[in-house]
Amino acid sequence: MRVSAPVAFTTVSDHVFRAPKGTRDILWPDSARWRALVESFSEVVGSAGYLEVIPPMFEHIEVFQRLGEATDVVRKEMYAFEDKAGRVIALRPEQTASVVRGFAQHRPGLPYKAWYAGPNFRYERSQKGRFRQFDQVGVEALGPTDPHLDAEVITLAWRFYERLGLRRVRLLVNSLGSAEDRVRYIDALQAYFSADRDALSEESRATLEVNPLRVLDSRREPDAALIDAAPQMPDFLSDDAAAHFASVTGALDAVGVPYSVSPRLVRGLDYYVRTTFEFAAEALDAAQNAIGGGGRYDGLAAELGAPETPGVGFALGVDRTLLACDSEGVFGPPAAAVDVFVVDASGGTEAVVLTDQIRLVGLRVDRAWDSRSMKAQMKAADRSAAALAVIVGDDEKAAGTVIVRDLRGDGGQETVTRDQIIETLRARLR
Ligand code: HAM
């Protein structure tokens, strides 16, 4: 890639740089909400023994090719480039492959239960809820084939949505069968759609060439009737896969997590076998209502160089989950960045000392700058949305006191000595 010479601008204000298409700046208070979401997720999955893993943001491209050469993620959406040493590198479009590659490399003990949070990159058509850089939180559990592990990961995602306050989430589950069942089903779909190829939309005819399963995802009008009458996955399940699926749904029933079985849920990545699932937010438009998804990927670890090790997991889209929270009016942003605002009109170092003392006990405190007038500083205190102001004028400075004023309610104000400040702030913030 050639980098052209920088363009010369006459003044800085001639040009405002903007974030690249499909990326966003997440400013406060959205950033605070973001962090709170990840924190809450780590608590939910941490309580089930999942430990954090932080995979690299890029890998050798071959790692992601395991997601399926025929998937859109690999064929069309990968951010891939040659590095300076000629290696072909790709920014991660998801983290399952990276986590499993890390598992293959380090061989931690089994079961290996890991969680992660961070950005992924897909060159998609950007729109509301669909970005080129988007964040996920997720878990991967490697080792057991136990269907109750599938139910555990699904339940954890469900409990997490509940904890955020979301009430309008629908869980769809399906089984894609064993790797062999899946191949038989794909062959049947291939034969079925090929027989009526001319009735399919142009896009679906192209999809049929590379991945007949994905034709089932088409929402185009001409395809609807054919898709409705297409062979159904449940008819291709081996006894073993059917028993596994029954055990997953049985465990979800036992724990009281509601779901619908959706025989056409195929998902966009090729590593899935047996259980697949998706969470749809009813409060969002159909185009971006998938707020999370996952499933079993029993062959992936072996493909990435580990001994045969089954795995199951999910990833939830942070951006879309927060959009769903907006629609349902839950998990709102914090009201204020600080609890206390120091107003120092005495012209000395009072604010320097007071902010430091108050921070040392763990309260959040800010102050005004540039020796503004008392009036201007009080305005800044209001703008900060802090609950309390600590005010020092010449009189207070001379007397060794401060005024603690309630900025929100009608709690009035009181004058206290220096050694009473922390106690007073704590009592008023309670
Ligand atoms: P996925 O369905 O590709 O699965 O992505 C999971 C979630 O990430 C989606 O449901 C959606 O909320 C969010 N997401 C995906 N693409 C975008 C985008 N362009 N903009 C905003 N949000 C997006 C996976 O990634 C698998 N690794 C999940 C998994 C984990 N399976 C097993 N373990």
Side-chain angles (χ1 to χ4, degrees):
M1 186 180 58
R2 276 192 49 222
V3 179
S4 47
V7 182
F9 296 109
T10 42
T11 65
V12 176
S13 61
D14 274 358
H15 188 83
V16 177
F17 288 103
R18 305 187 70 86
K21 197 169 177 182
T23 70
R24 290 169 313 147
D25 300 304
I26 299 168
L27 303 184
W28 193 89
D30 290 331
S31 53
R33 205 174 166 216
W34 196 280
R35 198 164 282 285
L37 181 145
V38 174
E39 186 66 25
S40 176
F41 185 77
S42 78
E43 282 169 24
V44 170
V45 298
S47 74
Y50 290 75
L51 301 173
E52 186 173 13
V53 56
I54 306 176
M57 294 216 197
F58 56 84
E59 300 269 356
H60 294 287
I61 195 167
E62 292 80 3
V63 170
F64 300 123
Q65 280 162 346
R66 302 304 193 273
L67 307 181
E69 289 291 357
T71 61
D72 282 354
V73 172
V74 172
R75 269 191 333 137
K76 302 187 195 156
E77 297 168 1
M78 200 107 86
Y79 277 92
F81 55 93
E82 221 172 82
D83 74 6
K84 291 182 196 301
R87 303 176 192 94
V88 184
I89 294 293
L91 299 187
R92 65 183 185 204
E94 57 111 56
Q95 291 168 75
T96 310
S98 296
V99 172
V100 175
R101 194 269 313 134
F103 167 79
Q105 182 174 339
H106 304 287
R107 307 278 169 91
L110 294 175
Y112 176 56
K113 302 213 296 186
W115 73 269
Y116 51 85
N120 310 283
F121 308 86
R122 296 184 193 176
Y123 195 80
E124 296 204 69
R125 202 136 36 118
S126 51
Q127 50 180 272
K128 189 176 181 212
R130 189 175 297 280
F131 304 98
R132 291 182 176 169
Q133 176 178 332
F134 62 95
D135 269 56
Q136 290 178 336
V137 290
V139 304
E140 310 298 346
L142 286 126
T145 51
D146 193 331
H148 289 173
L149 182 60
D150 310 28
E152 173 174 286
V153 302
I154 295 172
T155 303
L156 286 173
W158 186 260
R159 297 295 177 223
F160 172 63
Y161 288 134
E162 279 183 341
R163 177 156 163 171
L164 295 180
L166 289 171
R167 294 291 172 264
R168 298 181 56 212
V169 177
R170 231 151 47 85
L171 164 61
L172 308 172
V173 295
N174 188 27
S175 175
L176 290 175
S178 65
E180 298 75 38
D181 301 344
R182 194 185 147 115
V183 169
R184 283 194 301 127
Y185 183 50
I186 291 174
D187 287 348
L189 283 177
Q190 176 75 272
Y192 168 81
F193 285 123
S194 299
D196 258 324
R197 207 173 169 280
D198 293 344
L200 286 172
S201 66
E202 198 183 322
E203 293 87 344
S204 288
R205 285 203 295 273
T207 311
L208 181 61
E209 300 300 319
V210 286
N211 193 347
L213 267 184
R214 305 299 302 167
V215 177
L216 296 177
D217 279 346
S218 162
R219 298 213 168 110
R220 288 175 207 94
E221 196 39 51
D223 303 328
L226 264 185
I227 290 176
D228 269 350
Q232 301 242 5
M233 187 64 223
D235 299 329
F236 292 79
L237 289 188
S238 56
D239 291 348
D240 188 39
H244 184 98
F245 190 52
S247 208
V248 175
T249 54
L252 292 176
D253 291 333
V255 82
V257 171
Y259 60 88
S260 343
V261 175
S262 172
R264 297 228 167 75
L265 179 70
V266 291
R267 310 239 332 113
L269 303 161
D270 275 357
Y271 49 55
Y272 293 117
V273 288
R274 300 187 189 227
T275 318
T276 56
F277 52 93
E278 209 156 86
F279 297 94
E282 285 172 350
L284 297 180
D285 296 339
Q288 79 279 348
N289 75 353
I291 55 172
R296 219 169 229 292
Y297 46 83
D298 293 345
L300 186 59
E303 282 198 48
L304 288 167
E308 272 309 318
T309 315
V312 60
F314 66 73
L316 313 180
V318 174
D319 313 76
R320 289 190 196 173
T321 300
L322 287 175
L323 281 176
C325 290
D326 289 340
S327 299
E328 291 200 34
V330 297
F331 200 68
V338 290
D339 309 304
V340 179
F341 200 92
V342 171
V343 170
D344 173 12
S346 72
T349 53
E350 302 303 292
V352 176
V353 175
L354 285 168
T355 48
D356 184 53
Q357 279 176 351
I358 299 170
R359 281 170 200 151
L360 279 174
V361 300
L363 294 177
R364 301 175 306 164
V365 53
D366 203 359
R367 52 164 293 186
W369 304 100
D370 294 334
S371 309
R372 315 277 305 277
S373 69
M374 169 76 95
K375 194 169 158 208
Q377 291 194 44
M378 285 311 300
K379 268 199 183 145
D382 280 335
R383 265 201 310 274
S384 79
L388 300 171
V390 169
I391 307 166
V392 195
D394 292 334
D395 294 348
E396 288 77 23
K397 188 175 174 183
T401 60
V402 302
I403 298 169
V404 176
R405 181 181 294 174
D406 193 325
L407 294 175
R408 286 204 214 142
D410 50 6
Q413 64 178 46
E414 61 191 298
T415 300
V416 301
T417 57
R418 289 295 170 107
D419 55 4
Q420 293 171 325
I421 296 177
I422 300 299
E423 185 191 324
T424 309
L425 293 176
R426 282 200 170 129
R428 282 179 170 263
L429 287 170
R430 221 173 277 139

